[in-house]
Amino acid sequence: MSAARVSGQPASGQPVSGQPVADDATTTIPRIPAADATTVIPRVDETSLIGKIPDVVPADADDSGKPARDRDDSGAPIRAVRRKDVYASAYADYTRVTVGSVIRTTLRTTGELLITCGLVLLLFAAYEVWGKAAIVDSHQNDLNQQLAQAWDTPTSSPSSSPATNTLAAPPGDAIARLYIPRLDKHWVVVQGVSPADIRYAPGHYPKSAMPGQDGNFSMAGHRMRSVFWDLDKLQVGDKIVVETRTTWYVYAVVKTRVVKPTQVEVVSPNPPEVKAAAKATNDKVTPGNPTVSLDRFLTLTTCNPKWDNYQRLIIHAALVDGSERPRADGPPAELKG
């Protein structure tokens, strides 16, 4: 039997009248007419996905069709400019040498030099204030060690007097310690007042008296922060303490003054006006308080004013009577407070 007869349809594929039609799997799907495989895909041109490239604007015209500008709103050129047979740089107007450019360059260079000089001066001032102070402190520590070593070494004649022990001191060597309680400062004093001697410490005038002796124990020091910077703060009545190998001495300020560098009499054995100042101090002493000596003085000299040296600041002091005490007994009360 043929396939058409099994399905109940004639061979032509049309249903026979009056006979039921078998449900085929594709009966409910509309028949798609035969077509090309790309029929349902819209046709796309090969260049349709690429954006349209705008027309190139000529170099001598902008978007509006107007000629291109040679300069911006500030006046600066924005492209090379043709001059005669050559093209000039867009910045030719600013790089060529003119009177104005020379003046600007000169002013700029001068300003940079002034700033550099200012920085150098600031560094130098910092060195003068803090750098030298650190150097002086380091050398003072060395002098302290030298002095301690010399004082701790037994003398060949232990029975010799204190004055004999303090007289011999080679130039440049440490000879004593100087304390100023009001300034909270102390230094090692060296022998000699040459620039090399007093570079890092106060120096003792070699021809003046030694501490505690009759006469004028005179010293000089630089007006730097690490030495006699604040010496002008001393007032009459302030104490100055000197420590030698065997003895402590306490002096009291009796006079301060400013003199010319040529007035060298301030370090003489009997400075003018100092004895009168010591007498005036004793006249003001209340009963029961110590007086000061009229023969044993101490003088400190330094430059004045600060940062200059056309004057000298002088501090005169007189030994307080009864203030001498053995070094072994410890420092006096003026240093303990």
Side-chain angles (χ1 to χ4, degrees), residues 100-251:
S101 66
V102 171
I103 294 175
R104 287 192 297 270
T105 301
T106 303
L107 292 177
R108 182 170 56 250
T109 304
T110 303
E112 292 175 353
L113 289 175
L114 291 176
I115 292 174
T116 302
C117 292
L119 291 175
V120 171
L121 290 176
L122 286 176
L123 292 174
F124 177 74
Y127 168 76
E128 287 289 322
V129 175
W130 292 290
K132 281 190 174 182
I135 295 174
V136 170
D137 290 342
S138 176
H139 282 271
Q140 280 287 313
N141 290 334
D142 295 340
L143 290 170
N144 257 315
Q145 295 177 4
Q146 173 188 341
L147 198 61
Q149 183 178 2
W151 287 355
D152 292 341
T153 302
T155 59
S156 57
S157 54
S159 60
S160 58
S161 64
T164 304
N165 291 337
T166 58
L167 282 177
D173 281 358
I175 62 171
R177 290 190 180 98
L178 176 69
Y179 301 84
I180 302 182
R182 170 177 282 275
L183 305 182
D184 194 24
K185 293 284 189 178
H186 68 276
W187 306 270
V188 174
V189 180
V190 299
Q191 184 76 311
V193 291
S194 68
D197 294 329
I198 63 174
R199 187 176 181 183
Y200 306 114
H204 169 243
Y205 286 90
K207 295 182 179 180
S208 67
M210 293 299 289
Q213 292 182 337
D214 289 345
N216 188 11
F217 175 47
S218 303
M219 291 164 283
H222 283 303
R223 194 75 180 272
M224 64 176 72
R225 287 191 178 274
S226 52
V227 188
F228 285 166
W229 180 260
D230 291 326
L231 207 62
D232 56 330
K233 294 182 179 180
L234 286 179
Q235 302 174 4
V236 173
D238 287 340
K239 301 299 189 296
I240 299 175
V241 180
V242 177
E243 178 188 9
T244 66
R245 182 170 189 166
T246 59
T247 312
W248 292 94
Y249 300 96
V250 179
Y251 292 82

Side-chain angles (χ1 to χ4, degrees), residues 14 22-23 40 46 52 80 133 151 170 178 182 185 215 231-232 249 262 265 268 270 274 284 321 332:
Q14 296 295 325
D23 292 335
V40 296
E46 289 80 356
K52 183 178 180 180
W151 287 355
L178 176 69
R182 170 177 282 275
K185 293 284 189 178
L231 207 62
D232 56 330
Y249 300 96
T262 55
E265 65 272 9
S268 63
N270 292 295
V274 176
K284 298 177 183 178
D321 292 330

